[in-house]
Amino acid sequence: MSEAGDAKGVFASAAKKVKMGKRVEKALKEKAAASSSQEATEEDANKAPEPYTCIGHFDADFTELCRRAGLPPTEIPPVVLRAKRPGTPPPPDPKAKDPTPPEEPVDVAEEEPKPKTYVTKEKYSYFKPNIQVEMEHEEKPATVTEIYIRGWKIDDMMVDIFRNCFPTIEKLNTINLWNVGLTDKTLRDLAAIFPQCPNLKNVSIEGNPIAEEPWACLIGDDSLIVNLSLRHNEITDRGASGIGAALSTVTTCNKNLISLNLSHNKFSDVGAEAVVKGLRMNRVLLCLSLASNKITDKGAVKFGELLSRFPLTHEEVVERRKLLSDKGSPDRGTGKSPPPSRRAESKDRPGSVRSGSHLDKGDKKRDKSSKKKDNKHEKKNEKEDAGKGNKTVVMMDSKKDKDEGAKGGTKKDDKWKKGAKAVMAASLVAETVNKTTKGKKTTSSKDKKGGAAPESESPDMVEAINPLLDSVESIDGQLWIPGNRSIINLNLSRNEIGEAGLKSLLLALQYQITLANLAPHPALKGLMRLSLGRNPIRADSEAYQKLQDLLLTRDPFYKPQAKSPDGEVQSLVG
């Protein structure tokens, strides 16, 4: 019995050891699994998340990018629809039987319903940062067209978020930033983002004074901005100089900006002169506002010279000659202009340099022999142009100019009249050339195809011409070209312009009107609106009254009053 008991004890102890071994092995396996899972979680935490690809839904993209940037959900600015003024109710229908139903008596004890014209919010929620958007269709998040950010700082992290989501918004055309605390770096980063937005045309950055004043980066060569507003940015002469250089130089020009608003800033005549310099070679800008600055008569006189006509500088004359040499002179080879060896006779050389000493004897003999040939060609041209009267007009103008020169009646005040006559003569010659060339093209197309071929160029389309290639006039050894006639709206109100500046602007407007009557241009209409309110100008000033009368006729919606057969004046309006 004792032996049997000992055997049972040994068996029990062995079984116990086996069970203990299995438990230990199981515990070791669980411990290894736990350690491996912990290592995997640590590796996942250390691994960088996959980059987010924006899908073009601004709300979802902006929220996800802010979350990935580490912003807590409570600090992410919400994207909300921009509030709109409620529309006016439709007028009552006069055909209705009872347009004004009787009002029911209101019980004073009952509570009045809440008005539906506004929405109540929590305290201080109005001042929390948000991004206001406008959409083409509110139910479609991919149709965001305008973005408004107001009253909270845009830092480097927010600019990085905008760099990812702005270019993917297909229909985005307007960005409005007001009082967002931009710096030199953040403004330049935003300016680099704007060209990546395919349909962005309107940019407004207001209430953001920056000490470095890098505003010219918004008007670079690759800028697609059409309307730019930089109000209330405390722009000084330094910033205005950069903007003027960005508008145009002798060799470069911004080709997209149409409207520029620089009102409510702090630049003086120096900044205004820099802007004028930038508009010498720019024929794209249509609307310019410099209201509420510190511009005096000196700056207004510079604008008067810009709008009428101005002499070319040495750099501009050199660039003009380069352009003419690259393009090839249009008059070269027609017998009207001298050969290149006699450059003293060209328009690019001042008249004071011309003299007979520069001509060789051989050239004089050639001139005598060539006169006979020229006379034969002139007789043929006279027969071809008979009945048109174009040549006679040009010849009459040249005879009048010779008579005036013989009488000694040349005055500095009448120089612009001679310039207008020269432009008129050039335009008449160009018209005759165009008519003859068009007639030849149409006849040849009819002969070949047997039918009228469509014109390759429509008469309404006008090619942009470099101002340096415009017609010039030599006066006192300088080359003068017509001024900027592409600006149609100029705002100089609330400045310090007096009577002298007013007279300069009046002369410029008179010159533009005279030039438009003598040589009309389909694209360059000239100044149509000039704002001079709140300047130290007397309301009863004669020059101011003349300016207002001229501007009235320049208004595109102006309709002159017609006289009835009885002699009474009748208005054509309405």
Side-chain angles (χ1 to χ4, degrees):
M1 294 290 293
S2 61
E3 291 179 359
D6 292 339
K8 289 180 180 179
V10 171
F11 181 77
S13 62
K16 191 175 181 180
K17 287 180 180 179
V18 171
K19 288 182 180 179
M20 288 296 294
K22 290 181 178 179
R23 288 178 183 176
V24 171
E25 186 178 354
K26 187 177 181 181
L28 290 173
K29 287 181 179 179
E30 290 177 355
K31 188 175 181 181
S35 62
S36 62
S37 63
Q38 185 176 359
E39 290 176 0
T41 54
E42 289 179 358
E43 288 178 1
D44 292 340
N46 295 330
K47 189 184 294 183
E50 294 182 0
Y52 177 75
T53 303
C54 295
I55 58 177
H57 296 181
F58 178 63
D59 191 358
D61 294 341
F62 177 75
T63 305
E64 179 62 22
L65 290 172
C66 288
R67 187 186 66 79
R68 288 172 175 252
L71 283 177
T74 55
E75 296 183 7
I76 297 177
V79 178
V80 299
L81 286 174
R82 193 178 181 217
K84 296 181 180 179
R85 186 187 297 271
T88 56
D93 188 4
K95 297 181 180 179
K97 294 181 180 180
D98 193 4
T100 55
E103 297 181 358
E104 297 180 358
V106 180
D107 190 0
V108 182
E110 292 183 3
E111 232 181 274
E112 294 184 0
K114 293 182 179 180
K116 299 179 181 179
T117 55
Y118 64 89
V119 179
T120 58
K121 293 185 178 181
E122 296 180 0
K123 192 176 183 181
Y124 302 125
S125 63
Y126 179 79
F127 301 100
K128 290 182 180 179
N130 61 25
I131 298 179
Q132 302 176 10
V133 298
E134 287 193 6
M135 303 181 179
E136 282 187 359
H137 307 286
E138 296 182 2
E139 65 276 3
K140 295 181 181 180
T143 60
V144 174
T145 57
E146 301 180 11
I147 294 178
Y148 294 82
I149 301 176
R150 302 186 167 225
W152 54 276
K153 184 177 177 60
I154 295 178
D155 53 7
D156 293 335
M157 181 185 68
M158 200 60 63
V159 171
D160 292 336
I161 293 172
F162 292 155
R163 183 181 289 109
N164 292 324
C165 58
F166 275 0
T168 60
I169 307 175
E170 184 179 355
K171 297 189 176 182
L172 180 63
N173 57 56
T174 300
I175 293 178
N176 190 306
L177 308 178
W178 176 79
N179 192 20
V180 293
L182 294 177
T183 61
D184 178 55
K185 183 179 182 303
T186 53
L187 180 66
R188 292 183 183 276
D189 291 342
L190 286 174
I193 297 171
F194 292 158
Q196 302 175 20
C197 303
N199 294 315
L200 182 62
K201 304 298 180 186
N202 310 310
V203 174
S204 177
I205 301 178
E206 302 176 351
N208 289 277
I210 301 176
E212 293 82 1
E213 301 189 32
W215 306 108
C217 65
L218 297 170
I219 322 176
D221 295 337
D222 58 343
S223 174
L224 302 177
I225 299 174
V226 176
N227 303 306
L228 179 62
S229 179
L230 299 175
R231 299 184 302 170
H232 297 281
N233 289 325
E234 299 182 6
I235 300 175
T236 62
D237 295 333
R238 175 186 176 186
S241 300
I243 292 173
L247 286 173
S248 75
T249 61
V250 179
T251 56
T252 62
C253 177
N254 182 282
K255 298 180 181 179
N256 294 309
L257 190 64
I258 290 178
S259 174
L260 178 62
N261 192 340
L262 298 176
S263 60
H264 298 277
N265 284 292
K266 296 184 177 180
F267 56 85
S268 62
D269 294 329
V270 178
E273 187 172 353
V275 175
V276 167
K277 185 178 179 181
L279 293 174
R280 287 169 65 95
M281 299 295 121
N282 187 301
R283 295 297 182 269
V284 180
L285 192 71
L286 301 180
C287 301
L288 176 64
S289 177
L290 302 178
S292 298
N293 281 283
K294 300 178 181 179
I295 302 173
T296 63
D297 288 336
K298 185 178 178 182
V301 169
K302 292 295 181 182
F303 271 100
E305 295 174 357
L306 170 73
L307 297 173
S308 57
R309 64 175 182 168
F310 50 84
L312 295 179
T313 62
H314 175 70
E315 295 178 356
E316 292 169 346
V317 171
V318 172
E319 183 64 22
R320 172 185 164 83
R321 291 174 181 170
K322 288 181 181 178
L323 293 174
L324 289 175
S325 63
D326 294 339
K327 184 180 178 181
S329 179
D331 294 334
R332 190 171 294 173
T334 58
K336 296 180 182 178
S337 63
S341 61
R342 293 166 56 191
R343 295 183 63 185
E345 296 289 324
S346 64
K347 287 186 177 180
D348 290 345
R349 195 68 62 126
S352 59
V353 183
R354 300 172 185 173
S355 67
S357 61
H358 294 282
L359 298 177
D360 298 332
K361 295 180 180 179
D363 292 336
K364 291 181 180 179
K365 292 179 180 179
R366 291 172 190 169
D367 291 340
K368 291 180 181 179
S369 61
S370 63
K371 279 181 182 179
K372 298 179 180 179
K373 297 181 180 179
D374 292 339
N375 291 331
K376 294 180 181 179
H377 289 297
E378 285 178 3
K379 290 179 180 179
K380 291 182 180 178
N381 292 332
E382 286 177 2
K383 293 179 181 179
E384 292 177 358
D385 295 337
K388 295 182 181 178
N390 294 325
K391 188 173 181 179
T392 55
V393 174
V394 178
M395 295 299 293
M396 288 295 291
D397 290 337
S398 61
K399 287 180 181 180
K400 288 181 181 178
D401 294 338
K402 288 180 181 179
D403 294 340
E404 290 177 358
K407 292 178 182 178
T410 58
K411 296 181 180 180
K412 291 185 178 180
D413 296 337
D414 296 335
K415 286 180 180 179
W416 61 271
K417 294 182 179 178
K418 291 186 177 181
K421 289 181 180 179
V423 173
M424 182 187 69
S427 63
L428 290 172
V429 174
E431 285 178 3
T432 55
V433 173
N434 291 333
K435 287 179 181 178
T436 54
T437 54
K438 285 183 180 178
K440 290 179 181 178
K441 289 181 180 179
T442 52
T443 53
S444 61
S445 61
K446 286 181 181 179
D447 293 337
K448 289 181 180 180
K449 299 183 180 180
E455 293 184 0
S456 60
E457 297 179 359
S458 61
D460 296 333
M461 296 297 293
V462 180
E463 294 182 0
I465 302 174
N466 192 323
L468 291 175
L469 297 177
D470 205 344
S471 59
V472 298
E473 184 181 3
S474 178
I475 301 176
D476 297 334
Q478 290 181 318
L479 295 179
W480 292 66
I481 64 172
N484 191 322
R485 286 190 290 162
S486 64
I487 297 178
I488 60 175
N489 185 6
L490 178 62
N491 189 349
L492 295 175
S493 59
R494 297 186 296 277
N495 279 285
E496 301 172 7
I497 300 174
E499 197 72 19
L502 178 64
K503 290 181 179 179
S504 178
L505 293 171
L506 175 61
L507 290 175
L509 186 60
Q510 290 174 341
Y511 174 82
Q512 285 192 351
I513 293 174
T514 305
L515 190 61
N517 293 332
L518 294 176
H521 195 284
L524 304 178
K525 300 295 183 182
L527 201 61
M528 294 184 180
R529 183 179 180 185
L530 176 63
S531 301
L532 292 172
R534 305 287 183 88
N535 278 290
I537 300 172
R538 293 183 293 106
D540 58 347
S541 171
E542 183 180 356
Y544 184 73
Q545 294 298 330
K546 288 183 179 179
L547 186 64
Q548 294 300 318
D549 294 340
L550 289 176
L551 289 173
L552 180 62
T553 60
R554 301 285 293 166
D555 188 355
F557 299 102
Y558 169 73
K559 293 183 179 180
Q561 294 179 339
K563 291 185 178 181
S564 64
D566 300 334
E568 297 178 356
V569 177
Q570 295 179 351
S571 176
L572 297 178
V573 180

